[in-house]
Amino acid sequence: MNNDKSQALFKKAQQYIPGGVNSPVRACKSVGCDPLFVQKANGARVVDVDGHEYVDFVCSWGPMILGHTPPAVMDAIRETMVNGTSFGAPCALEIDLAELVVNALPSVEKVRFVSSGTEATMSAIRLARGYTKRNVVVKFDGCYHGHADSFLVKAGSGVITLGIPGSPGVPDDIVKNTISIPYNNVEVLEKTLRNESLDIACVIMEPVAGNMGVVQPSPEFMQAVRALTAELGIVLIFDEVITGFRLSLGGAQQYFGINPDLTCLGKIIGGGLPVGAYGGKKEIMDNIAPDGPVYQAGTLSGNPLAMAAGVATINELAKPGFYEGLEAKAAGFAAELTGLAERYLPGQTTLNRVGSMMTAFFASEPVVDFESAMKADTVRYGTHFRQMLSQGVWLAPSQFEAAFISAAQTDADLSFALEKTEWSFKKLAGK
Ligand SMILES: *Cc1c(COP(=O)(O)O)cnc(C)c1O
C-alpha cells in the first residue's frame, strides 16, 4: 500500500507538533505503524490523503454515531455559521441543547456546557468537592476521565496504550487525593467508601468502561456503587462521555436504570464539534458560579456552531427506533465476529459488547477489569490492526479502545468488515 503522502505529512508534522499528533493515541505507536492523514470522511467511510478508503469503526473515538457528514447536522452548522461563529454572550441554541439534554437524561435537571470531555470531568469533581467540602476522588483502574491532573492515576485509553502509570508534571499533592480501585470489585469498593478517614467527595466511573477496551459493570457492582454513595453522602458521577447518547438517548443511566448525582458528557453531544457538558441535580448544580461559589468558565462554551451540531444530532437520535436499529446491527455483527473467532482462534479471544460499543480482546479469559484487560495480547492486536487496515477496515489503533457501530454502516459495510476479519483471523491462526 502506497502511503507516500501520509508519510510526508507525518514527517513534516513531527517538525512542528510533538510526535506529529495533537492527541497521543493517533500516533499508532502501539500497533507498530505511522498515522494515516485523513483527507475526508462521508457516511461510514474515511478516505486518507493517498486516496485509500476505509470502513470506519473508530468514529472519531465515539462522536460520529450518525456516521460522517450527516446531512441534518451539516445543514444545521451551515445555517448557523452565517450568523457568526462565537459571541461571548448567551444565544438561544444553548437553551435548545440544554433542554434536549435535561429531557433525555433521567438524572439531569440542569446542565453546564464546556468544550471537551476533560473540562466536563474536571469541573464535575471540583463541583463535587465544593458541594461536599471533602477532598478525595475515587476512580476505577483503567477508567479514563480525560487528562486533568487528578485523573492521571491508573488511567485508561492512551495512558495504558503507551504504558504510562501516571504522568510526570502531576504533583504528588494532587495524586494523593485520588484513590484508584479495581472495577467490578464490590468488596474493595465497600471497604474504601466506608473508610471515614478518607474524606471522600465523589466516586467517578465510566458506567460501561470504554477506555481499557469495553468492560461491562456487573449488576451487583452498579447497585453497590449507587447504594453506598447514597448512604455515605458521596457524590456519584457517571462519566458518560462515551456512553451518553450511545447506549440510549438517556445514556447508560437510562440503559441500566441507575441515576447518578452528576453526569459528564462529551463526544456525541457535540455532533463532531468540540462540546462537553456536566449536569445533575439542581441542588448540586446551583453551587456553580454565578449562582454559587464554585468557579468554572469558558470563552467558547456554548459555542453556537457546536450547539447547533449537538441539537441536530440529538434530534436524529430521538427518532423512533434509532437505538433499536443500532442494537440489532451491533448484535448481529458481534455474533458473526464471535463465530469467526471461535472458528479460527478458539479460546483465544473474548468479545465484550454493550449496545453499539464493543472490544474483541485477544485474551483467553473473560475481561472484567483492568488486570484482566492487561492480559490481552497487544502484539497480536497490532498485527490484526495492520492487516485490517491494509484491507480497508479502520479499527482503533489500540487493543484498549472500543469499536463503534454507527448508523451509517450498511449491511454491506459490515459484511465487508467481517470478510476481512475472517481473512485476518486465518492469517493469525497460520492458515
Ligand atoms: C474521551 C473521554 C474523556 C475525555 O474527553 P475529551 O473530549 O477527549 O477531553 C473523558 N471521559 C471519557 C469516558 C472519555 O471516553
Side-chain angles (χ1 to χ4, degrees):
M1 209 163 81
N2 178 331
N3 291 326
D4 289 355
K5 286 185 182 160
S6 270
Q7 265 160 17
L9 287 172
F10 187 47
K11 203 163 163 218
K12 187 166 180 192
Q14 285 172 293
Q15 201 179 329
Y16 297 104
I17 301 169
V21 290
N22 283 308
S23 196
V25 275
R26 294 180 200 166
C28 300
K29 279 192 178 175
S30 79
V31 287
C33 56
D34 288 339
L36 297 176
F37 280 65
V38 174
Q39 181 74 41
K40 59 181 179 184
N42 186 264
R45 288 170 191 261
V46 165
V47 179
D48 72 16
V49 289
D50 290 287
H52 309 299
E53 195 174 282
Y54 306 89
V55 175
D56 179 23
F57 287 89
V58 181
C59 296
S60 188
W61 303 85
M64 313 321 289
I65 190 169
L66 298 173
H68 297 277
T69 58
V73 179
M74 300 311 285
D75 287 347
I77 296 172
R78 236 179 259 117
E79 276 167 29
T80 308
M81 184 170 75
V82 294
N83 292 323
T85 58
S86 181
F87 313 125
C91 67
L93 283 163
E94 294 167 79
I95 315 170
D96 296 345
L97 188 57
E99 203 174 3
L100 285 171
V101 170
V102 167
N103 288 337
L105 282 109
S107 74
V108 176
E109 294 173 347
K110 281 192 177 180
V111 62
R112 172 60 70 79
F113 293 115
V114 291
S115 299
S116 68
T118 293
E119 266 186 277
T121 54
M122 74 180 211
S123 307
I125 60 163
R126 180 182 304 143
L127 174 59
R129 285 168 160 162
Y131 173 73
T132 57
K133 305 194 171 54
R134 300 180 197 161
N135 281 326
V136 167
V137 172
V138 172
K139 70 176 283 292
F140 297 98
D141 301 346
C143 284
Y144 178 70
H145 304 293
H147 65 85
D149 285 355
S150 301
F151 298 123
L152 292 180
V153 179
K154 295 193 185 164
S157 190
V159 189
I160 326 178
T161 305
L162 300 175
I164 304 171
S167 172
V170 178
D172 292 343
D173 277 354
I174 288 180
V175 170
K176 77 170 197 247
N177 286 312
T178 302
I179 295 174
S180 191
I181 58 175
Y183 201 80
N184 271 333
N185 187 324
V186 176
E187 207 176 310
V188 175
L189 175 77
E190 176 149 20
K191 217 164 134 194
T192 307
L193 298 195
R194 287 201 185 282
N195 183 342
E196 279 174 23
S197 66
L198 290 180
D199 187 36
I200 297 169
C202 60
V203 170
I204 184 165
M205 72 181 293
E206 289 183 71
V208 171
N211 287 288
M212 48 180 150
V214 171
V215 175
Q216 183 160 7
S218 72
E220 309 78 65
F221 178 64
M222 270 301 218
Q223 294 291 348
V225 173
R226 182 60 283 185
L228 286 164
T229 48
E231 179 194 331
L232 299 164
I234 294 167
V235 174
L236 175 59
I237 306 173
F238 273 6
D239 178 350
E240 296 226 38
V241 170
I242 289 180
T243 54
F245 304 106
R246 164 69 55 191
L247 298 187
S248 74
L249 199 64
Q253 51 199 265
Q254 182 181 42
Y255 189 89
F256 292 117
I258 293 198
N259 284 350
D261 303 307
L262 290 177
T263 300
C264 301
L265 297 165
K267 299 194 169 120
I268 292 175
I269 197 179
L273 272 75
V275 184
Y278 63 108
K281 292 182 180 161
K282 275 191 192 125
E283 182 199 336
I284 305 178
M285 292 302 288
D286 287 343
N287 288 277
I288 302 167
D291 277 351
V294 177
Y295 197 70
Q296 182 272 311
T299 302
L300 293 172
S301 296
N303 172 271
L305 295 191
M307 296 295 107
V311 168
T313 299
I314 294 175
N315 284 336
E316 291 297 305
L317 302 178
K319 290 184 176 164
F322 179 87
Y323 287 98
E324 289 79 0
L326 202 60
E327 165 64 28
K329 202 168 9 170
F333 182 72
E336 298 275 341
L337 192 59
T338 304
L340 291 175
E342 276 166 7
R343 183 154 159 216
Y344 296 103
L345 302 167
Q348 299 162 58
T349 67
T350 300
L351 183 85
N352 283 358
R353 177 184 76 90
V354 182
S356 57
M357 55 194 283
M358 66 182 89
T359 299
F361 290 95
F362 287 101
S364 48
E365 305 282 320
V367 176
V368 296
D369 57 11
F370 182 68
E371 202 188 330
S372 44
M374 285 301 102
K375 292 186 182 143
D377 186 340
T378 53
V379 173
R380 203 167 205 196
Y381 183 83
T383 308
H384 178 59
F385 170 88
R386 293 190 305 274
Q387 288 177 174
M388 294 298 281
L389 197 70
S390 76
Q391 299 296 303
V393 181
W394 189 294
L395 301 176
S398 164
Q399 169 74 92
F400 307 115
E401 302 286 354
F404 294 108
I405 301 295
S406 81
Q409 288 160 351
T410 60
D411 288 346
D413 292 324
L414 296 177
S415 302
F416 174 83
L418 287 166
E419 194 185 296
K420 301 307 177 188
T421 305
E422 180 167 17
W423 174 83
S424 179
F425 282 0
K426 259 190 202 166
K427 277 188 78 140
L428 290 176
K431 284 183 186 156

